[in-house]
Amino acid sequence: MVIRHYFKRIFTQPINLLVLLALPVGILILNLSILNAVPPPDTPSIFENPASIDAGFVSMIIIIMFAFFGASVVYDYLFEDIRGERRWRLLAAPQTVGKYVFANVLGSTVFSLVSSVLIYGVGILMYDAYVPNLWVVAGTIFLFTVFAQLLGMFLLLVCPKKGTAEAALQGIVWSLTILTGNMFGGLNLGRVGNFIFQRATPNALAMDTFIRYITDDMVLVRNNMLALGGYIVVMAIVVAIVARRRPF
Amino acid sequence: MIATMKNVVKRYGDNMALDHLDLNINQGEILGLLGPNGAGKTTAIRSLTGLIGIDSGDIEVFGKKQSLNNKDIKREMGLVTQEITVFNDLSARENLRYFGSLYGLKGADLDSNVDRVLKFIGLTDRASKRPKSFSGGMQRRLNIGCALVHRPKLLIMDEPTVGIDPQSRNHILESVKQIAAEGTTVVYTSHYMEEVQAICNHIAIMDTGRVIAEGSLEELVGRIQHEDTIRMIALAPSDALTESIKAISGVKSVTVVGTSYTIVSGADSGNLNRIMEVAVGHGGIANIAADKSTLEDVFLTLTGRKLRDDGEGA
């Protein structure tokens, strides 16, 4: 019942449907419509169907960005339920705090994955978005989503108010998206900066996995996915330590 | 005895929120926990419900030792929070269903209890509406209803009428009496002494983390009331009337201002009738009333402070 409760709240909240489902799909359609309207360059592409690659690439950028934003669903409900006055009522019931947290995180993760599937699905159906390997794409999206959810839990634990967590998340998402070069291409941050932000951050790793698969660099695909898994392990340990010191 | 708190100490840093608190809750009663803001009422009920740990002392509920997350005890208790803590994104029925399910109700049992509570709180015709479309009083009623779905043996209500209109308050107070009449023991915290006076048959007055007095309203008032004050408007005030009243056994003083007489007499002397008889014999009376001591007077006598700051609350 607790799990069903959170799923229902997350999947029926108009703001979630608007911001995390309708908005990314709208942005995808807008971006790809503009991209498709631009005349192709004179130099021939190394790819057989460059428009399909572009559609896959843009779909992945939007998926990663909105999987990041999806972290807000984790703390959005838990700030009210576990950190606010409602906690006394919920904890007066014969349930554990862990059950509420687990149910919310599960609902939030599934919602984020549904958002990703919808974005890629629209990309494939409307713009023939390139799908390199279903398992690589699904695995990358899953790993990145789990990382984003852990980030949401971390913000819930360390931020005193929902507004603070929201500001921190927005700052992280926008700065990493811009520094990774996914928003404005050709950013040069120096050798170290380029490596950190364009190769080593979780969103850079997720994007790079997609790009490396297109160029058939399977070693880097594997390494990137392992690195993403490493980020998850580190983040999970940090969350566990903080949760132990500052329980819900 | 349905619950006891013995010598309970709870500290928050240097602040002693509960200072060797002793409290007994008897089966079937409405216990009023009365005290000013900061007296320790909320800490006391959070300890009682097992929501916070205590530093020392013993708490027993339903004959079992209370501890953090004691599910057996929690299953039989209901908590009405001071703030409205229902879900605004769920309808009234969905709220009741959810809270009922947290206590293990399901299927037809859950449905029938939800219907029962909707009827009890008077929201049957608004069951499918969300609380944000409700008035403050209706939201308060739903807030109470969410603690009743699982039919608790012990219901704890933490200032459930804060910030609502008098009509809704009366509705809630009547509901509390009905809940108790149906066999649920109620602990009712408030800093509105009128509410506690109106519904509680056992009152504990708290201050600085301790119970400073407890008993029935009559017992508490009896402890401080050594004199009756009678106010009378005479139709024909005269020196003869004043002297006749002064001559009544037990009358301690008579003050006359115009037609207004203030007479102080020993407590329970039964002088009201005698004074009326004397006054009627001296030209009659326009009005007569005996002042009764209140819990406010009890609190003032015990602590030297008022229960509420001037202008606070209703």
Side-chain angles (χ1 to χ4, degrees):
Chain A
M1 188 67 186
V2 177
I3 289 175
R4 194 163 56 176
H5 167 79
Y6 281 103
F7 268 70
K8 187 177 179 190
R9 286 174 77 196
I10 291 168
F11 277 82
T12 58
Q13 185 97 342
I15 192 80
N16 289 347
L17 302 177
L18 197 69
V19 173
L20 295 173
L21 294 183
L23 184 63
V25 170
I27 291 172
L28 177 77
I29 292 171
L30 187 70
N31 280 353
L32 291 179
S33 299
I34 294 169
L35 199 64
N36 287 345
V38 176
D42 295 336
T43 49
S45 173
I46 57 168
F47 301 113
E48 201 176 299
N49 185 358
S52 171
I53 301 286
D54 287 347
F57 186 78
V58 172
S59 299
M60 275 299 278
I61 290 176
I62 293 172
I63 284 170
I64 286 163
M65 194 167 178
F66 279 85
F68 242 153
F69 285 135
S72 66
V73 180
V74 174
Y75 58 71
D76 204 15
Y77 295 96
L78 288 180
F79 260 110
E80 283 177 17
D81 293 1
I82 304 299
R83 300 286 293 273
E85 192 66 17
R86 190 180 287 140
R87 66 173 286 152
W88 301 114
R89 163 153 259 161
L90 292 174
L91 296 183
Q95 307 288 342
T96 58
V97 68
K99 194 164 183 179
Y100 298 115
V101 173
F102 173 76
N104 190 349
V105 172
L106 184 67
S108 171
T109 305
V110 172
F111 186 75
S112 202
L113 291 172
V114 167
S115 167
S116 301
V117 170
L118 184 72
I119 296 164
Y120 222 120
V122 169
I124 292 167
L125 290 173
M126 289 181 66
Y127 301 97
D128 189 27
Y130 178 65
V131 184
N133 174 305
L134 193 60
W135 293 109
V136 170
V137 171
T140 305
I141 290 172
F142 179 76
L143 289 172
F144 188 78
T145 302
V146 171
F147 170 79
Q149 297 293 310
L150 285 167
L151 177 67
M153 284 185 74
F154 176 74
L155 293 175
L156 170 73
L157 286 163
V158 297
C159 295
K161 289 179 184 169
K162 193 156 89 174
T164 318
E166 190 60 36
L169 181 69
Q170 294 289 337
I172 292 168
V173 174
W174 287 107
S175 58
L176 283 185
T177 303
I178 292 168
L179 291 170
T180 303
N182 287 340
M183 188 152 277
F184 311 108
L187 266 184
N188 191 352
L189 305 167
R191 199 161 150 256
V192 177
N194 283 345
F195 174 76
I196 290 173
F197 291 108
Q198 292 167 17
R199 294 291 299 279
T201 59
N203 53 331
L205 284 167
M207 277 314 299
D208 201 49
T209 306
F210 184 82
I211 295 164
R212 297 297 163 182
Y213 194 90
I214 297 168
T215 54
D216 208 20
D217 193 342
M218 290 312 288
V219 175
L220 267 176
V221 167
R222 190 196 60 199
N223 289 349
N224 284 346
M225 290 180 80
L226 282 172
L228 262 178
Y231 267 114
I232 289 171
V233 171
V234 170
M235 200 66 187
I237 292 169
V238 170
V239 167
I241 291 170
V242 179
R244 208 171 251 271
R245 292 190 175 184
R246 298 185 51 171
F248 290 111
Chain B
M1 207 81 74
I2 201 165
T4 56
M5 298 177 81
K6 278 185 197 156
N7 215 18
V8 175
V9 173
K10 173 68 184 175
R11 287 189 183 84
Y12 292 108
D14 292 338
N15 176 33
M16 197 179 243
L18 298 180
D19 181 7
H20 301 91
L21 176 78
D22 288 310
L23 187 66
N24 295 320
I25 303 165
N26 301 308
Q27 176 94 39
E29 71 180 5
I30 304 179
L31 168 67
L33 209 51
L34 185 71
N37 289 329
K41 304 185 297 291
T42 299
T43 305
I45 61 168
R46 283 181 184 165
S47 307
L48 183 64
T49 13
L51 291 170
I52 55 173
I54 55 174
D55 295 313
S56 64
D58 287 305
I59 301 175
E60 268 193 23
V61 185
F62 312 129
K64 296 168 193 161
K65 192 173 166 59
Q66 179 62 292
S67 59
L68 280 175
N69 297 322
N70 187 327
K71 289 186 182 178
D72 289 341
I73 294 176
K74 284 184 173 181
R75 215 165 268 131
E76 306 289 346
M77 290 175 100
L79 174 68
V80 178
T81 48
Q82 193 175 124
E83 286 183 32
I84 294 169
T85 48
V86 298
F87 294 97
N88 278 323
D89 46 350
L90 300 182
S91 70
R93 181 180 292 279
E94 287 168 336
N95 266 289
L96 294 171
R97 282 187 65 82
Y98 180 59
F99 283 110
S101 72
L102 291 181
Y103 289 82
L105 296 187
K106 48 188 160 187
D109 192 22
L110 178 59
D111 291 337
S112 65
N113 277 296
V114 166
D115 288 339
R116 171 183 61 81
V117 172
L118 278 169
K119 192 174 168 190
F120 180 73
I121 59 177
L123 293 177
T124 303
D125 56 342
R126 288 182 168 257
S128 59
K129 303 279 183 216
R130 293 183 178 188
K132 57 186 166 191
S133 68
F134 292 177
S135 67
M138 288 158 77
Q139 288 184 8
R140 282 275 165 203
R141 270 144 56 195
L142 180 60
N143 200 42
I144 293 170
C146 288
L148 297 174
V149 185
H150 63 291
R151 290 184 181 272
K153 286 183 187 164
L154 175 59
L155 178 67
I156 295 174
M157 308 180 86
D158 189 7
E159 311 215 13
T161 58
V162 170
I164 58 168
D165 59 278
Q167 196 183 349
S168 296
R169 175 174 294 172
N170 288 338
H171 185 282
I172 287 171
L173 296 180
E174 285 306 312
S175 304
V176 175
K177 283 199 245 180
Q178 202 180 326
I179 291 163
E182 289 170 6
T184 301
T185 305
V186 179
V187 175
Y188 190 96
T189 83
S190 179
H191 61 273
Y192 297 130
M193 56 111 185
E194 308 88 342
E195 293 184 355
V196 172
Q197 255 181 205
I199 63 168
C200 299
N201 40 30
H202 180 190
I203 298 163
I205 299 178
M206 279 190 76
D207 191 35
T208 57
R210 290 178 297 125
V211 172
I212 55 171
E214 69 174 309
S216 66
L217 175 63
E218 293 73 24
E219 286 167 351
L220 289 171
V221 169
R223 279 193 210 177
I224 62 148
Q225 189 163 339
H226 307 296
E227 292 172 342
D228 287 335
T229 302
I230 296 162
R231 297 182 198 281
M232 178 180 81
I233 308 291
L235 289 175
S238 64
D239 289 344
L241 172 60
T242 308
E243 290 309 314
S244 298
I245 295 171
K246 276 183 181 172
I248 296 170
S249 171
V251 168
K252 294 181 179 175
S253 68
V254 180
T255 310
V256 185
V257 180
T259 60
S260 174
Y261 281 68
T262 303
I263 303 140
V264 176
S265 172
D268 299 325
S269 59
N271 275 344
L272 181 63
N273 288 338
R274 288 188 208 109
I275 291 165
M276 280 172 67
E277 284 167 16
V278 168
V280 168
H282 284 79
I285 51 176
N287 187 24
I288 188 164
D291 285 356
K292 281 280 176 197
S293 291
T294 64
L295 283 174
E296 185 79 54
D297 300 318
V298 175
F299 190 82
L300 186 64
T301 306
L302 292 172
T303 67
R305 290 185 288 118
K306 281 188 172 183
L307 190 56
R308 289 205 304 265
D309 295 334
D310 287 341
E312 185 192 339

